[in-house]
Amino acid sequence: MAEYKITLPVDEEKIRELKVGDILYVTGTIVTARDEAHKKVLEAIESGETLPVGLEGLALYHCGPVVQKKEGEWVVIAAGPTTSTRMEDVEAEFIEKTHVRIVIGKGGMGRKTAEAARKYGAVYTVFTGGAAVLAADAVKRVAGVYWLDELGIPEAMWVFDVENFGPLVVTIDTTGKNFYAEAAERRKKVLEGMYRELGF
Amino acid sequence: MSTRQMLVKGIVEVMRTVATRLPIDVYDALVEAREREENTVARRQLDAIIRNADLAATRSRPICQDTGMVYFFTKVGKDFPFLMDLRNVLVEATRESTFEIPLRPNAVDPVHERNSGDNTGRFMPWIDMELVKGDRMELTVLFKGGGSEYPSTLRMIPPIQGLRGVKRVVIDAMYNAGAMPCPPVIVGVGLAGGSDIAMKLAKRALLRSIGVRHPDEMVAKLEEEIMELVNRLEIGPHGFGGPTTALDVKVEYGHRHPASYAVGVTTNCWAVRRGMAEFRPDGSYTVLSRHIEGGE
């Protein structure tokens, strides 16, 4: 287990050095997207439109923040991660088409995402779920927001300039290793033992 | 200010406390969990959780960006002057809280897929009302996050399985949930004949403070046995292992039908947003739940 400070955008080579269990703090641009914004980005790419922000080398954050407009500027009040599995169906394609290098969320992701991470050079990391004020503290500026009217605050795509955003624990690395999937495998044995204890 | 305005304002203040300050019982349980945690990554999660709770209270900011769905559990005196207007009062307080605290707008129309923008809508906030004697209102507020709602489970078990079957439903739900509901969690279990009743009781079970056992000895024992099983799964803080998956397990039950046995399971993430206050006829109130003060 190692700790890294990473500046975004980051290149593939650096990402391929990271291992499951490593802890990251990132500085630079991160972009939020939940279910709806994922769909939007993929639709835009499909129809050949230019994305409002180039995502190559950046971090994608599964987050629907609480924000407030003060004197014409957006202020981030709370911005912890949302449950990542909801994006499992589309994440592999998202990684392939946008070349984001770090995905930040909570709760883990599945086989398809792990495969895309291996193939295209990306990691999936976990930010402490619910630690929304800690996260908001690391956001220094809202650099932009897209699809706000159409999608509403939580689902819109927010662009944050962050400083030492973390701790992010790597749970999927570029070797195909998936911490949560392996932990679930081990846990399955414990569960089966419990079934026997209960007479099932 | 009219009495009605005072009442709305009071409810907004209670909602602010609930959104920004962890209940003391939950905070203490988290600190205790950190003390016994030996796994470095899991400990880092608990460090971040506790630091975040302190920061939120100090700055009066929502503990989590998912400020949840708004639930009100009310016991309203039949002579409480706003009884017939209570739904409107609670809707107004929700709307005002959304802009003032602020809360994230979380009410989405599932058919038209539009967010109402102010946490109100059809059956939102959800209001559970019980009529009691007197002229006061006891109001419990629960903000229920989406992540911890995700693993909610309902199963109709063969009654012959009894409590063994109940335990199996809970461990299955927790196994499937893994890190999703932001452990360490509180597990709420409802037992009844009707499916809807079991789910309702499971949610209500989350309102009981940590460490407070069910008054029925057998139910109290069941709570402890389920807790032991859940924690043996070693999911741990945010799925990073160790002995703390559930901070507590709460069971509530209602009489069932001879042929049906409904088991409802739901969880509350570590960011427990619950609080209780009593409102008097003049609009004044007293907060009955205890919350952390903050301070860095």
Side-chain angles (χ1 to χ4, degrees):
Chain A
M1 191 189 90
E3 236 177 271
Y4 295 94
K5 290 196 184 289
I6 287 182
T7 306
L8 302 167
V10 61
D11 57 32
E12 183 177 346
E13 200 182 329
K14 175 72 205 165
I15 289 299
R16 289 197 179 273
E17 288 169 18
L18 304 174
K19 297 275 169 285
V20 160
D22 287 346
I23 291 177
L24 320 179
Y25 289 84
V26 300
T27 297
T29 304
I30 68 176
V31 175
T32 74
R34 292 162 53 109
D35 320 41
E36 296 296 324
H38 271 74
K39 268 198 258 170
K40 279 277 182 198
V41 167
L42 292 175
E43 278 165 17
I45 293 172
E46 185 71 22
S47 57
E49 290 166 38
T50 321
L51 291 177
V53 199
L55 299 177
E56 173 139 20
L58 301 185
L60 162 69
Y61 187 23
H62 297 155
C63 169
V66 178
V67 291
Q68 220 173 16
K69 209 164 200 174
K70 283 184 186 160
E71 291 153 18
E73 296 275 320
W74 286 107
V75 179
V76 180
I77 304 289
T82 191
T83 306
S84 298
T85 43
R86 291 200 318 274
M87 277 61 80
E88 175 63 17
D89 276 352
V90 290
E91 204 69 280
E93 191 185 345
F94 195 98
I95 291 170
E96 179 189 350
K97 304 240 163 103
T98 64
H99 301 114
V100 289
R101 296 285 171 215
I102 300 177
V103 179
I104 306 166
K106 78 174 176 80
M109 296 197 77
R111 203 178 40 79
K112 269 174 71 186
T113 303
E115 178 54 24
R118 189 187 62 77
K119 208 162 159 190
Y120 304 108
V123 290
Y124 171 76
T125 66
V126 169
F127 183 85
T128 308
V133 187
L134 269 189
D137 248 26
V139 178
K140 297 305 159 194
R141 195 174 72 94
V142 174
V145 56
Y146 302 94
W147 301 310
L148 179 60
D149 289 342
E150 191 181 343
L151 302 182
I153 288 173
E155 295 285 343
M157 189 165 98
W158 295 86
V159 184
F160 295 154
D161 284 344
V162 301
E163 218 173 275
N164 285 325
F165 185 87
L168 310 175
V169 185
V170 176
T171 71
I172 291 175
D173 62 23
T174 55
T175 66
K177 207 170 156 63
N178 185 343
F179 170 82
Y180 282 126
E182 287 172 16
E185 261 326 295
R186 283 195 300 276
R187 240 178 353 251
K188 193 158 196 162
K189 294 205 172 61
V190 180
L191 184 74
E192 282 160 359
M194 286 178 188
Y195 286 168
R196 284 194 293 276
E197 270 174 52
L198 295 171
F200 285 103
Chain B
M1 199 187 287
S2 72
T3 309
R4 192 179 183 283
Q5 283 169 323
M6 262 185 75
L7 176 64
V8 170
K9 201 171 171 327
I11 296 169
V12 171
E13 283 317 307
V14 173
M15 290 174 82
R16 189 195 306 276
T17 298
V18 169
T20 59
R21 297 174 188 276
L22 268 191
I24 285 183
D25 57 294
V26 177
Y27 188 84
D28 288 350
L30 288 165
V31 170
E32 216 173 278
R34 178 173 63 180
E35 272 159 25
R36 64 168 174 259
E37 188 58 71
E38 287 167 4
N39 164 339
T40 322
V41 182
R43 207 185 154 93
R44 284 287 274 272
Q45 303 302 312
L46 290 165
D47 282 339
I49 285 169
I50 291 163
R51 213 175 133 234
N52 184 73
D54 289 336
L55 272 176
T58 306
R59 298 192 193 162
S60 195
R61 283 199 182 183
I63 301 162
C64 176
Q65 81 291 338
D66 181 1
T67 51
M69 288 174 286
V70 182
Y71 283 76
F72 292 112
F73 299 85
T74 62
K75 286 182 186 167
V76 197
K78 73 174 181 53
D79 299 318
F80 185 63
F82 301 97
L83 173 62
M84 293 314 287
D85 195 23
L86 194 55
R87 175 165 291 277
N88 295 329
V89 165
L90 293 172
V91 166
E92 269 171 54
T94 300
R95 205 169 273 147
E96 212 165 291
S97 293
T98 302
F99 298 110
E100 266 215 15
I101 298 173
L103 303 175
R104 194 175 74 185
N106 279 338
V108 180
D109 180 323
V111 181
H112 303 97
E113 287 293 338
R114 294 294 293 193
N115 191 321
S116 72
D118 63 6
N119 279 310
T120 72
R122 285 173 71 82
F123 301 107
M124 265 295 121
W126 181 260
I127 301 166
D128 184 295
M129 206 181 286
E130 196 183 319
L131 206 54
V132 295
K133 274 194 254 178
D135 61 0
R136 299 184 173 199
M137 170 178 68
E138 188 187 281
L139 177 73
T140 300
V141 180
L142 178 74
F143 294 143
K144 185 64 171 58
S148 65
E149 197 59 21
Y150 214 72
S152 294
T153 299
L154 170 76
R155 256 202 253 165
M156 307 302 289
I157 62 171
I160 203 165
Q161 288 183 358
L163 299 180
R164 280 188 320 129
V166 171
K167 288 176 183 169
R168 179 168 176 169
V169 175
V170 182
I171 56 175
D172 280 349
M174 296 309 292
Y175 171 81
N176 291 329
M180 265 192 292
C182 283
V185 294
I186 297 174
V187 184
V189 182
L191 312 179
S195 52
D196 52 339
I197 306 172
M199 287 316 292
K200 227 172 185 170
L201 291 176
K203 181 106 342 123
R204 199 177 284 185
L206 299 176
L207 302 180
R208 208 185 327 140
S209 296
I210 289 180
V212 179
R213 284 276 155 257
H214 194 282
D216 182 298
E217 235 174 83
M218 268 187 78
V219 182
K221 188 162 158 265
L222 177 65
E223 290 177 344
E224 275 162 18
E225 288 170 356
I226 295 176
M227 178 138 152
E228 193 266 337
L229 288 169
V230 170
N231 281 333
R232 249 204 284 153
L233 286 173
E234 297 218 355
I235 295 165
H238 291 293
F240 292 111
T244 313
T245 301
L247 294 173
D248 210 345
V249 174
K250 308 293 191 190
V251 179
E252 295 293 335
Y253 74 98
H255 280 63
R256 64 175 179 85
H257 181 278
S260 68
Y261 199 137
V263 183
V265 184
T266 192
T267 61
N268 205 122
C269 54
W270 66 261
V272 176
R273 273 72 53 84
R274 66 162 144 74
M276 196 206 272
E278 185 186 65
F279 287 82
R280 292 173 282 271
D282 64 356
S284 65
Y285 68 99
T286 308
V287 176
L288 303 175
S289 47
R290 293 172 62 230
H291 300 263
I292 64 165
E293 286 298 327
E296 271 167 78

